[in-house]
Coordinates of all heavy atoms in Angstrom, one line a residue:
M26 N -5.9 30.4 33.1 CA -5.4 29.2 32.3 C -6.4 28.1 32.4 O -6.9 27.8 33.4 CB -4.1 28.8 32.9 CG -3.4 27.6 32.3 SD -1.9 27.1 33.0 CE -0.8 27.8 31.8
T27 N -6.6 27.5 31.3 CA -7.5 26.4 31.2 C -6.6 25.3 30.7 O -5.7 25.3 30.0 CB -8.6 26.6 30.3 OG1 -8.1 26.8 29.0 CG2 -9.5 27.9 30.6
S28 N -7.1 24.1 31.2 CA -6.6 22.8 30.6 C -7.5 21.8 30.4 O -8.7 21.9 31.0 CB -5.4 22.3 31.5 OG -6.1 21.5 32.7
S29 N -7.3 20.9 29.4 CA -8.4 19.9 29.2 C -7.7 18.7 28.9 O -6.5 18.7 28.5 CB -9.3 20.4 28.0 OG -8.4 20.4 26.9
V30 N -8.4 17.6 29.1 CA -7.9 16.2 28.9 C -8.8 15.6 27.7 O -10.0 15.5 27.9 CB -7.9 15.4 30.2 CG1 -7.4 14.0 29.8 CG2 -7.0 16.1 31.1
W31 N -8.2 15.3 26.7 CA -9.0 14.7 25.6 C -8.8 13.1 25.7 O -7.7 12.7 25.7 CB -8.5 15.3 24.3 CG -9.3 14.7 23.2 CD1 -10.6 15.0 22.8 CD2 -8.8 13.9 22.0 NE1 -11.1 14.3 21.7 CE2 -9.9 13.7 21.3 CE3 -7.6 13.4 21.8 CZ2 -9.7 12.9 20.0 CZ3 -7.5 12.6 20.6 CH2 -8.6 12.3 19.7
S32 N -9.9 12.5 25.7 CA -9.9 11.0 25.6 C -10.3 10.8 24.2 O -11.5 10.9 23.9 CB -10.7 10.4 26.6 OG -10.3 10.7 28.0
P33 N -9.4 10.2 23.4 CA -9.9 9.9 22.0 C -11.0 8.8 21.9 O -11.0 7.8 22.7 CB -8.6 9.4 21.3 CG -7.6 9.0 22.4 CD -8.0 9.7 23.5
P34 N -12.0 8.9 21.0 CA -13.0 8.0 20.8 C -12.5 6.7 20.1 O -11.2 6.7 19.9 CB -14.0 8.7 20.0 CG -13.2 9.6 19.2 CD -12.0 10.1 20.1
A35 N -13.3 5.7 20.0 CA -12.9 4.5 19.4 C -12.3 4.7 18.0 O -11.3 4.1 17.6 CB -14.2 3.6 19.3
C36 N -12.9 5.6 17.2 CA -12.3 5.9 15.9 C -12.5 7.4 15.6 O -13.5 8.0 16.1 CB -12.8 5.0 14.8 SG -14.6 5.0 14.6
Y37 N -11.6 7.9 14.9 CA -11.7 9.4 14.5 C -10.8 9.7 13.3 O -10.1 8.8 13.0 CB -11.3 10.3 15.8 CG -10.0 10.1 16.3 CD1 -8.8 10.9 15.9 CD2 -9.8 9.0 17.2 CE1 -7.6 10.5 16.4 CE2 -8.5 8.7 17.7 CZ -7.5 9.5 17.4 OH -6.1 9.1 17.8
Y38 N -10.9 10.9 12.9 CA -10.0 11.2 11.7 C -8.9 12.2 12.1 O -9.2 13.1 12.9 CB -10.9 11.9 10.5 CG -11.9 10.9 10.0 CD1 -13.3 11.0 10.5 CD2 -11.6 9.9 9.2 CE1 -14.2 10.0 10.1 CE2 -12.6 8.9 8.8 CZ -13.9 9.1 9.3 OH -14.9 8.1 8.9
A39 N -7.7 12.0 11.7 CA -6.7 12.8 11.9 C -5.6 13.0 10.9 O -5.5 12.1 10.0 CB -6.0 12.3 13.3
P40 N -4.9 14.0 10.8 CA -3.8 14.1 9.8 C -2.7 13.1 10.2 O -2.2 13.0 11.2 CB -3.3 15.6 9.9 CG -3.5 15.9 11.4 CD -4.8 15.1 11.7
V41 N -2.4 12.2 9.1 CA -1.5 11.2 9.4 C -0.2 11.2 8.4 O 0.7 10.4 8.7 CB -2.1 9.7 9.4 CG1 -3.1 9.7 10.7 CG2 -2.9 9.5 8.1
H42 N -0.4 11.6 7.2 CA 0.7 11.5 6.2 C 0.8 12.8 5.4 O -0.1 13.4 4.9 CB 0.3 10.4 5.2 CG 0.2 9.1 5.7 ND1 1.3 8.4 6.3 CD2 -0.8 8.2 5.7 CE1 0.9 7.2 6.6 NE2 -0.4 7.1 6.4
T43 N 2.1 13.2 5.2 CA 2.5 14.2 4.2 C 2.3 13.6 3.0 O 2.2 12.3 2.7 CB 4.0 14.8 4.4 OG1 4.7 13.6 4.1 CG2 4.2 15.2 5.8
P44 N 2.3 14.4 1.8 CA 2.3 13.7 0.5 C 3.4 12.6 0.2 O 3.1 11.6 -0.3 CB 2.4 14.9 -0.5 CG 1.7 16.0 0.3 CD 2.3 15.8 1.7
A45 N 4.6 12.9 0.6 CA 5.7 11.9 0.6 C 5.4 10.8 1.4 O 5.6 9.6 0.9 CB 7.0 12.5 0.9
E46 N 4.9 10.9 2.5 CA 4.7 9.8 3.4 C 3.6 9.1 2.8 O 3.4 7.7 2.9 CB 4.4 10.2 4.9 CG 5.5 10.8 5.5 CD 5.1 11.6 6.9 OE1 3.9 11.9 7.0 OE2 6.0 11.8 7.7
A47 N 2.5 9.7 2.3 CA 1.4 8.9 1.8 C 1.9 8.1 0.6 O 1.4 7.0 0.4 CB 0.3 10.0 1.4
E48 N 2.7 8.7 -0.3 CA 3.1 7.9 -1.4 C 3.9 6.6 -1.0 O 3.6 5.6 -1.5 CB 4.1 8.7 -2.3 CG 4.6 8.1 -3.5 CD 5.5 8.8 -4.4 OE1 5.9 9.9 -3.9 OE2 5.6 8.4 -5.6
A49 N 4.7 6.7 0.0 CA 5.5 5.6 0.5 C 4.7 4.6 1.1 O 4.7 3.3 0.8 CB 6.5 6.1 1.5
Y50 N 3.6 5.0 1.8 CA 2.7 4.1 2.6 C 1.8 3.4 1.6 O 1.7 2.2 1.7 CB 1.9 5.0 3.6 CG 0.8 4.1 4.3 CD1 1.0 3.3 5.4 CD2 -0.6 4.1 3.9 CE1 0.2 2.5 6.1 CE2 -1.5 3.4 4.5 CZ -1.2 2.6 5.6 OH -2.1 1.8 6.3
W51 N 1.1 4.2 0.8 CA 0.1 3.5 -0.1 C 0.7 2.8 -1.2 O 0.2 1.7 -1.7 CB -0.8 4.5 -0.8 CG -1.8 5.0 0.3 CD1 -1.7 6.3 1.1 CD2 -2.8 4.3 1.0 NE1 -2.7 6.4 2.0 CE2 -3.3 5.1 1.9 CE3 -3.3 3.1 0.8 CZ2 -4.5 4.7 2.8 CZ3 -4.4 2.6 1.6 CH2 -4.9 3.4 2.6
T52 N 1.9 3.1 -1.7 CA 2.7 2.3 -2.6 C 3.0 1.0 -2.0 O 2.8 -0.1 -2.6 CB 3.9 3.0 -3.1 OG1 3.4 4.3 -3.8 CG2 4.7 2.2 -4.1
A53 N 3.5 0.9 -0.8 CA 3.8 -0.4 0.0 C 2.6 -1.2 0.1 O 2.6 -2.4 -0.1 CB 4.5 0.0 1.2
V54 N 1.4 -0.6 0.6 CA 0.3 -1.4 0.7 C -0.3 -1.9 -0.7 O -0.5 -3.1 -0.7 CB -0.9 -0.4 1.3 CG1 -2.3 -1.1 1.1 CG2 -0.6 0.0 2.7
H55 N -0.2 -1.1 -1.7 CA -0.6 -1.5 -3.0 C 0.4 -2.7 -3.5 O -0.2 -3.8 -4.0 CB -0.4 -0.4 -4.0 CG -0.8 -0.8 -5.3 ND1 0.2 -1.0 -6.3 CD2 -1.9 -1.0 -6.0 CE1 -0.3 -1.3 -7.5 NE2 -1.7 -1.3 -7.3
N56 N 1.6 -2.6 -3.3 CA 2.5 -3.8 -3.8 C 2.3 -5.0 -2.9 O 2.4 -6.1 -3.5 CB 3.9 -3.2 -3.6 CG 4.2 -2.1 -4.7 OD1 3.5 -2.1 -5.7 ND2 5.3 -1.3 -4.5
R57 N 2.0 -4.9 -1.6 CA 1.7 -6.1 -0.8 C 0.5 -6.8 -1.3 O 0.5 -8.0 -1.5 CB 1.6 -5.7 0.6 CG 2.9 -5.6 1.3 CD 2.7 -5.6 2.8 NE 1.8 -4.7 3.3 CZ 2.1 -3.4 3.8 NH1 3.3 -3.0 3.5 NH2 1.1 -2.6 4.2
I58 N -0.6 -6.0 -1.7 CA -1.8 -6.7 -2.1 C -1.6 -7.4 -3.5 O -2.1 -8.5 -3.7 CB -2.9 -5.6 -2.2 CG1 -3.3 -5.1 -0.9 CG2 -4.2 -6.1 -2.9 CD1 -4.2 -4.0 -0.8
I59 N -1.0 -6.6 -4.5 CA -1.0 -7.2 -5.8 C 0.1 -8.4 -5.8 O 0.1 -9.1 -6.9 CB -0.7 -6.1 -6.9 CG1 0.7 -5.6 -6.7 CG2 -1.8 -5.2 -7.0 CD1 1.1 -4.6 -7.9
Q60 N 1.0 -8.5 -4.9 CA 1.9 -9.7 -4.9 C 1.4 -10.7 -4.0 O 2.1 -11.8 -3.9 CB 3.3 -9.1 -4.4 CG 3.9 -8.1 -5.4 CD 5.2 -7.5 -4.8 OE1 5.7 -7.9 -3.8 NE2 5.6 -6.4 -5.5
A61 N 0.4 -10.6 -3.2 CA -0.1 -11.6 -2.3 C -0.9 -12.6 -3.0 O -1.3 -12.4 -4.1 CB -0.9 -11.0 -1.2
P62 N -1.0 -13.8 -2.4 CA -1.8 -14.8 -3.1 C -3.3 -14.6 -3.0 O -4.1 -15.5 -2.5 CB -1.4 -16.1 -2.3 CG -1.0 -15.6 -0.9 CD -0.5 -14.2 -1.0
F63 N -3.7 -13.5 -3.5 CA -5.2 -13.2 -3.5 C -5.6 -13.5 -4.9 O -4.9 -13.6 -5.9 CB -5.3 -11.6 -3.2 CG -5.1 -11.2 -1.9 CD1 -4.3 -10.1 -1.6 CD2 -5.6 -11.9 -0.8 CE1 -3.9 -9.6 -0.4 CE2 -5.2 -11.5 0.5 CZ -4.4 -10.4 0.7
P64 N -7.0 -13.7 -5.1 CA -7.6 -14.0 -6.3 C -7.3 -12.7 -7.2 O -7.2 -11.6 -6.8 CB -9.0 -14.1 -6.1 CG -9.2 -14.4 -4.6 CD -8.0 -13.8 -3.9
Q65 N -7.1 -13.1 -8.5 CA -6.8 -12.0 -9.5 C -7.8 -10.8 -9.5 O -7.5 -9.7 -9.6 CB -6.7 -12.5 -10.9 CG -6.1 -11.5 -11.9 CD -4.7 -11.1 -11.6 OE1 -3.9 -11.8 -11.2 NE2 -4.5 -9.7 -11.7
E66 N -9.1 -11.2 -9.2 CA -10.1 -10.0 -9.2 C -9.8 -9.1 -8.1 O -10.0 -7.9 -8.1 CB -11.5 -10.6 -9.2 CG -11.8 -11.4 -7.9 CD -13.2 -12.1 -8.0 OE1 -13.4 -12.7 -9.0 OE2 -13.8 -12.0 -6.9
D67 N -9.3 -9.6 -7.0 CA -9.0 -8.7 -5.8 C -7.6 -7.8 -6.2 O -7.7 -6.7 -5.9 CB -8.6 -9.5 -4.6 CG -9.9 -10.1 -3.9 OD1 -11.0 -10.0 -4.4 OD2 -9.6 -11.1 -3.1
K68 N -6.7 -8.5 -6.8 CA -5.6 -7.7 -7.2 C -5.9 -6.6 -8.3 O -5.5 -5.5 -8.1 CB -4.6 -8.7 -7.8 CG -4.0 -9.6 -6.8 CD -2.9 -10.5 -7.5 CE -2.4 -11.5 -6.5 NZ -1.3 -12.2 -7.2
D69 N -6.9 -6.9 -9.2 CA -7.3 -6.0 -10.2 C -8.1 -4.9 -9.5 O -7.9 -3.6 -9.9 CB -8.2 -6.7 -11.3 CG -7.4 -7.6 -12.2 OD1 -6.2 -7.6 -12.2 OD2 -8.0 -8.4 -12.8
S70 N -8.9 -5.2 -8.5 CA -9.7 -4.2 -7.8 C -8.8 -3.2 -7.1 O -8.9 -2.0 -7.1 CB -10.6 -4.9 -6.9 OG -11.3 -3.9 -6.1
A71 N -7.6 -3.8 -6.5 CA -6.7 -3.0 -5.8 C -6.0 -2.0 -6.7 O -5.8 -0.8 -6.4 CB -5.7 -3.8 -5.0
R72 N -5.6 -2.6 -7.8 CA -4.8 -1.8 -8.9 C -5.7 -0.6 -9.3 O -5.4 0.5 -9.5 CB -4.4 -2.8 -10.0 CG -3.5 -2.1 -11.0 CD -3.0 -3.0 -12.0 NE -2.1 -3.9 -11.4 CZ -2.3 -5.3 -11.3 NH1 -3.5 -5.8 -11.8 NH2 -1.4 -6.0 -10.8
D73 N -6.9 -1.0 -9.7 CA -8.0 0.0 -10.2 C -8.2 1.1 -9.1 O -8.3 2.3 -9.4 CB -9.3 -0.6 -10.5 CG -9.2 -1.5 -11.8 OD1 -8.2 -1.4 -12.5 OD2 -10.1 -2.3 -11.9
G74 N -8.4 0.7 -7.8 CA -8.6 1.6 -6.8 C -7.4 2.6 -6.6 O -7.5 3.7 -6.3
H75 N -6.3 2.0 -6.7 CA -5.0 2.8 -6.4 C -4.9 3.8 -7.6 O -4.5 5.0 -7.3 CB -3.8 1.9 -6.4 CG -2.6 2.5 -6.0 ND1 -2.2 2.7 -4.8 CD2 -1.4 2.9 -6.8 CE1 -1.1 3.4 -4.8 NE2 -0.5 3.5 -5.9
E76 N -5.2 3.4 -8.8 CA -5.1 4.3 -9.9 C -6.2 5.3 -9.8 O -5.9 6.5 -10.0 CB -5.3 3.5 -11.2 CG -5.2 4.4 -12.5 CD -3.8 5.0 -12.6 OE1 -2.8 4.5 -12.2 OE2 -3.7 6.0 -13.3
A77 N -7.4 5.1 -9.3 CA -8.4 6.1 -9.3 C -8.2 7.1 -8.2 O -8.6 8.2 -8.2 CB -9.9 5.2 -8.9
R78 N -7.4 6.6 -7.1 CA -7.1 7.5 -6.0 C -5.9 8.3 -6.4 O -5.9 9.5 -6.1 CB -6.9 6.7 -4.7 CG -6.8 7.5 -3.7 CD -7.0 6.8 -2.2 NE -8.5 6.5 -2.1 CZ -9.0 5.4 -1.8 NH1 -8.3 4.2 -1.8 NH2 -10.2 5.2 -1.8
F79 N -4.8 7.7 -6.8 CA -3.5 8.4 -6.9 C -3.0 8.6 -8.3 O -2.0 9.1 -8.5 CB -2.5 7.7 -6.1 CG -2.9 7.5 -4.6 CD1 -3.1 6.3 -4.1 CD2 -3.1 8.7 -3.8 CE1 -3.5 6.1 -2.8 CE2 -3.4 8.5 -2.5 CZ -3.7 7.2 -2.0
G80 N -3.6 8.0 -9.4 CA -3.2 8.1 -10.7 C -3.3 9.6 -11.3 O -3.9 10.5 -10.5
E81 N -2.8 9.7 -12.5 CA -2.9 11.0 -13.1 C -4.2 11.7 -13.1 O -4.4 12.9 -12.9 CB -2.3 10.9 -14.5 CG -2.1 12.3 -15.3 CD -1.5 12.1 -16.6 OE1 -0.7 11.3 -16.8 OE2 -2.1 12.7 -17.5
D82 N -5.3 10.9 -13.3 CA -6.6 11.6 -13.3 C -7.4 11.2 -12.0 O -8.7 11.3 -12.0 CB -7.5 11.0 -14.5 CG -6.8 11.4 -15.9 OD1 -6.4 12.5 -15.9 OD2 -6.9 10.7 -16.8
G83 N -6.7 10.8 -11.0 CA -7.3 10.3 -9.8 C -7.8 11.4 -8.8 O -7.6 12.7 -9.1
E84 N -8.2 11.1 -7.7 CA -8.6 12.1 -6.8 C -7.5 12.8 -6.1 O -7.7 14.0 -5.9 CB -9.4 11.3 -5.6 CG -9.9 12.0 -4.6 CD -10.7 11.1 -3.5 OE1 -10.6 9.9 -3.5 OE2 -11.3 11.8 -2.6
F85 N -6.3 12.1 -5.9 CA -5.2 12.8 -5.4 C -4.1 12.5 -6.3 O -3.2 11.7 -6.0 CB -4.8 12.2 -4.0 CG -6.0 12.2 -3.1 CD1 -6.6 11.1 -2.7 CD2 -6.4 13.5 -2.5 CE1 -7.7 11.2 -1.8 CE2 -7.4 13.5 -1.7 CZ -8.1 12.4 -1.2
P86 N -4.0 13.1 -7.5 CA -3.0 12.9 -8.5 C -1.6 13.0 -8.0 O -1.2 14.0 -7.3 CB -3.2 13.9 -9.6 CG -4.1 14.9 -9.1 CD -4.8 14.4 -7.9
D87 N -0.8 11.8 -8.3 CA 0.6 11.9 -7.8 C 0.9 12.3 -6.3 O 1.7 12.8 -5.9 CB 1.5 12.7 -8.7 CG 1.5 12.3 -10.1 OD1 1.6 11.0 -10.4 OD2 1.6 13.1 -11.0
F88 N -0.2 11.8 -5.5 CA -0.2 12.0 -4.1 C 0.1 13.6 -3.6 O 0.5 13.9 -2.6 CB 1.0 11.2 -3.4 CG 0.8 9.8 -3.6 CD1 1.4 9.2 -4.8 CD2 0.2 9.0 -2.8 CE1 1.3 7.8 -5.0 CE2 0.0 7.7 -2.9 CZ 0.5 7.0 -4.2
H89 N -0.3 14.4 -4.6 CA -0.2 15.9 -4.4 C 1.1 16.2 -4.0 O 1.5 17.1 -3.1 CB -1.2 16.4 -3.3 CG -2.7 16.4 -3.7 ND1 -3.1 16.8 -5.1 CD2 -3.8 16.1 -3.2 CE1 -4.3 16.8 -5.2 NE2 -4.9 16.3 -3.9
R90 N 2.1 15.5 -4.6 CA 3.5 15.9 -4.2 C 3.9 17.3 -4.5 O 4.7 17.9 -3.8 CB 4.5 15.0 -5.0 CG 4.5 13.6 -4.5 CD 5.4 12.7 -5.2 NE 4.9 12.6 -6.5 CZ 5.2 11.7 -7.5 NH1 6.2 10.7 -7.2 NH2 4.7 11.7 -8.6
D91 N 3.3 17.9 -5.5 CA 3.4 19.4 -5.9 C 2.9 20.2 -4.7 O 3.2 21.4 -4.8 CB 2.7 19.7 -7.2 CG 1.3 19.5 -7.2 OD1 0.8 18.5 -6.5 OD2 0.7 20.2 -8.0
R92 N 2.2 19.7 -3.8 CA 1.7 20.6 -2.6 C 2.2 20.2 -1.3 O 1.7 20.6 -0.3 CB 0.1 20.3 -2.7 CG -0.5 20.8 -4.0 CD -1.9 20.6 -4.1 NE -2.7 21.4 -3.0 CZ -3.9 21.1 -2.8 NH1 -4.7 20.2 -3.4 NH2 -4.6 21.8 -1.9
E93 N 3.4 19.5 -1.4 CA 4.2 19.2 -0.2 C 4.3 20.5 0.7 O 4.6 21.6 0.3 CB 5.5 18.7 -0.5 CG 6.3 18.1 0.7 CD 5.9 16.7 1.2 OE1 5.6 15.8 0.4 OE2 5.7 16.5 2.3
G94 N 4.1 20.3 2.0 CA 4.2 21.5 2.9 C 2.8 22.3 3.0 O 2.8 23.2 4.0
E95 N 1.9 22.0 2.3 CA 0.6 22.7 2.4 C -0.5 22.0 3.3 O -1.5 22.6 3.5 CB 0.0 22.9 0.9 CG 0.8 23.8 0.0 CD 0.1 24.0 -1.3 OE1 -1.0 24.0 -1.4 OE2 0.9 24.2 -2.3
G96 N -0.2 20.8 3.6 CA -1.2 20.0 4.4 C -0.8 18.6 4.4 O 0.2 18.2 4.0
M97 N -1.8 17.9 5.1 CA -1.5 16.4 5.1 C -2.7 15.6 4.8 O -3.9 16.1 4.7 CB -1.2 16.1 6.7 CG 0.0 16.8 7.1 SD 0.4 16.2 8.9 CE 1.0 14.6 8.6
F98 N -2.6 14.3 4.4 CA -3.7 13.4 4.3 C -4.2 13.0 5.6 O -3.5 12.6 6.4 CB -3.2 12.2 3.6 CG -3.0 12.4 2.1 CD1 -1.6 12.8 1.5 CD2 -4.0 12.3 1.1 CE1 -1.4 13.0 0.3 CE2 -3.7 12.5 -0.2 CZ -2.5 12.8 -0.6
W99 N -5.5 13.0 5.7 CA -6.2 12.7 6.8 C -6.9 11.3 6.6 O -7.3 10.9 5.5 CB -7.3 13.5 7.2 CG -7.0 14.9 7.8 CD1 -5.9 15.8 7.2 CD2 -7.4 15.5 9.0 NE1 -5.8 16.8 7.9 CE2 -6.7 16.8 9.1 CE3 -8.3 15.2 10.0 CZ2 -7.0 17.6 10.1 CZ3 -8.6 16.0 11.0 CH2 -7.8 17.3 11.2
M100 N -6.8 10.4 7.7 CA -7.5 9.1 7.7 C -8.0 8.7 9.0 O -7.8 9.4 9.9 CB -6.3 8.0 7.4 CG -5.7 8.1 6.0 SD -4.3 6.8 5.7 CE -4.9 5.4 6.7
R101 N -8.7 7.6 8.8 CA -9.3 7.1 10.2 C -8.2 6.5 11.0 O -7.3 6.0 10.7 CB -10.2 5.9 9.7 CG -10.8 5.2 11.0 CD -11.6 4.0 10.7 NE -10.8 2.9 9.9 CZ -11.3 1.9 9.3 NH1 -12.7 1.6 9.3 NH2 -10.6 1.1 8.8
V102 N -8.4 6.9 12.3 CA -7.4 6.4 13.4 C -8.2 5.6 14.3 O -9.4 6.1 14.7 CB -6.7 7.6 14.2 CG1 -5.8 7.1 15.2 CG2 -5.9 8.4 13.1
M103 N -7.8 4.4 14.8 CA -8.5 3.6 15.7 C -7.8 3.5 16.9 O -6.6 3.3 17.1 CB -8.7 2.2 15.0 CG -9.6 2.2 13.7 SD -10.0 0.6 13.1 CE -8.4 0.2 12.3
N104 N -8.6 3.6 18.0 CA -8.1 3.7 19.4 C -8.2 2.2 19.9 O -9.2 1.5 20.1 CB -8.9 4.5 20.3 CG -8.5 4.6 21.7 OD1 -7.7 3.8 22.1 ND2 -8.9 5.6 22.4
E105 N -7.0 1.6 20.1 CA -6.8 0.2 20.5 C -7.4 0.0 21.9 O -7.6 -1.3 22.2 CB -5.4 -0.2 20.4 CG -4.8 -0.2 19.2 CD -5.4 -1.2 18.1 OE1 -5.8 -2.3 18.5 OE2 -5.5 -0.7 17.0
D106 N -7.9 0.9 22.6 CA -8.4 0.7 24.0 C -9.9 0.3 23.8 O -10.4 0.0 24.8 CB -8.3 1.9 24.8 CG -6.9 2.4 25.2 OD1 -6.0 1.4 25.1 OD2 -6.6 3.5 25.4
Y107 N -10.5 0.3 22.6 CA -11.8 -0.1 22.4 C -12.0 -1.4 21.7 O -11.1 -1.9 21.1 CB -12.6 1.0 21.5 CG -12.8 2.3 22.3 CD1 -11.8 3.3 22.4 CD2 -14.1 2.6 22.8 CE1 -12.1 4.6 23.0 CE2 -14.3 3.7 23.5 CZ -13.3 4.8 23.6 OH -13.5 5.9 24.3
P108 N -13.2 -2.0 21.9 CA -13.3 -3.4 21.1 C -13.4 -3.1 19.7 O -13.6 -2.0 19.1 CB -14.7 -3.8 21.6 CG -15.1 -2.9 22.9 CD -14.3 -1.6 22.7
A109 N -13.0 -4.1 18.9 CA -12.8 -4.0 17.4 C -14.2 -3.4 16.8 O -14.1 -2.7 15.8 CB -12.6 -5.4 16.8
A110 N -15.3 -3.9 17.2 CA -16.6 -3.4 16.6 C -16.8 -1.9 16.7 O -17.2 -1.2 15.7 CB -17.7 -4.0 17.3
D111 N -16.3 -1.2 17.9 CA -16.3 0.2 18.0 C -15.2 0.8 17.1 O -15.5 1.9 16.6 CB -16.1 0.5 19.4 CG -17.2 0.0 20.4 OD1 -18.4 -0.2 19.8 OD2 -16.9 -0.1 21.5
R112 N -14.0 0.3 17.1 CA -12.9 0.7 16.3 C -13.3 0.9 14.8 O -12.8 1.8 14.1 CB -11.7 0.0 16.5 CG -11.1 0.1 17.9 CD -9.6 -0.4 17.9 NE -9.4 -1.6 17.4 CZ -9.4 -2.8 17.9 NH1 -9.6 -3.0 19.3 NH2 -9.1 -3.9 17.2
F113 N -14.0 -0.1 14.3 CA -14.2 0.0 12.9 C -15.6 0.6 12.5 O -16.1 0.6 11.4 CB -14.3 -1.5 12.3 CG -13.0 -2.1 12.2 CD1 -12.4 -2.9 13.3 CD2 -12.4 -2.0 10.9 CE1 -11.2 -3.4 13.1 CE2 -11.0 -2.4 10.9 CZ -10.4 -3.2 11.9
A114 N -16.2 1.3 13.6 CA -17.5 2.1 13.3 C -17.3 3.2 12.3 O -18.2 3.6 11.7 CB -18.0 2.5 14.6
C115 N -16.2 3.8 12.3 CA -15.9 5.0 11.4 C -15.6 4.4 9.9 O -14.9 3.5 9.8 CB -14.5 5.7 11.8 SG -14.7 6.7 13.3
E116 N -16.3 5.1 9.0 CA -16.1 4.9 7.7 C -14.6 5.1 7.3 O -14.0 6.0 7.7 CB -17.0 5.6 6.8 CG -16.8 5.5 5.3 CD -17.6 6.6 4.6 OE1 -18.4 7.3 5.1 OE2 -17.4 6.6 3.4
W117 N -14.0 4.2 6.5 CA -12.7 4.3 6.0 C -12.8 5.5 5.0 O -13.5 5.4 4.0 CB -12.1 3.2 5.3 CG -10.7 3.4 5.0 CD1 -9.6 3.0 5.8 CD2 -10.1 3.9 3.8 NE1 -8.4 3.4 5.2 CE2 -8.8 4.0 4.0 CE3 -10.7 4.6 2.7 CZ2 -7.9 4.6 3.0 CZ3 -10.0 5.2 1.7 CH2 -8.5 5.1 1.9
R118 N -12.0 6.4 5.2 CA -11.9 7.6 4.3 C -10.6 8.1 4.1 O -9.8 8.0 5.2 CB -12.9 8.8 4.8 CG -14.3 8.3 4.7 CD -15.2 9.6 4.9 NE -14.9 10.6 3.9 CZ -15.1 11.9 4.1 NH1 -15.4 12.2 5.4 NH2 -14.9 12.8 3.2
L119 N -10.2 8.7 3.0 CA -8.9 9.4 3.0 C -9.2 10.8 2.3 O -9.9 10.9 1.4 CB -7.9 8.6 2.0 CG -6.7 9.3 1.7 CD1 -5.8 9.4 2.9 CD2 -6.0 8.6 0.5
F120 N -8.7 11.9 3.1 CA -9.0 13.2 2.5 C -7.8 14.0 2.9 O -7.0 13.7 3.6 CB -10.3 13.8 2.9 CG -10.7 13.7 4.4 CD1 -10.4 14.8 5.2 CD2 -11.2 12.5 5.0 CE1 -10.8 14.8 6.6 CE2 -11.4 12.5 6.3 CZ -11.2 13.6 7.1

């Protein structure tokens, strides 16, 4: 029998959302941004990015709801035990 102890690094990628969870999470993030008192160009950029990522012709159309149960969305995870500079060393990605 072997055992190992894994100590997570400052940042890494892990499965974090099912398609339904991703839709709820990213829709909430998007709605907060476009309703916040940000400059209009920031709101437009958020809207365009959301559409490019999750819209009909986007990278993940309709959050891949038709593929529920086949996998999860992976994102950057940050380990709070490290300084901020180390936690943000990983590129933000969604796949």
Side-chain angles (χ1 to χ4, degrees):
M26 175 182 265
T27 62
S28 82
S29 65
V30 175
W31 182 65
S32 295
C36 59
Y37 56 97
Y38 300 99
V41 295
H42 297 297
T43 66
E46 292 166 345
E48 180 177 19
Y50 175 81
W51 288 108
T52 299
V54 168
H55 176 258
N56 289 340
R57 278 194 308 269
I58 291 171
I59 64 170
Q60 294 173 13
F63 294 128
Q65 188 60 45
E66 64 189 43
D67 291 351
K68 293 178 182 184
D69 292 344
S70 177
R72 187 175 291 113
D73 292 346
H75 189 79
E76 183 63 26
R78 189 164 281 126
F79 303 114
E81 187 176 314
D82 295 323
E84 186 177 5
F85 308 108
D87 295 322
F88 300 90
H89 287 318
R90 286 179 296 199
D91 60 327
R92 298 173 66 185
E93 188 76 44
E95 294 181 29
M97 296 182 74
F98 283 93
W99 286 52
M100 290 177 42
R101 173 182 66 189
V102 176
M103 294 185 285
N104 184 342
E105 297 296 322
D106 292 338
Y107 287 83
D111 294 339
R112 293 191 316 259
F113 285 94
C115 292
E116 175 186 352
W117 185 93
R118 293 189 58 213
L119 176 69
F120 51 98

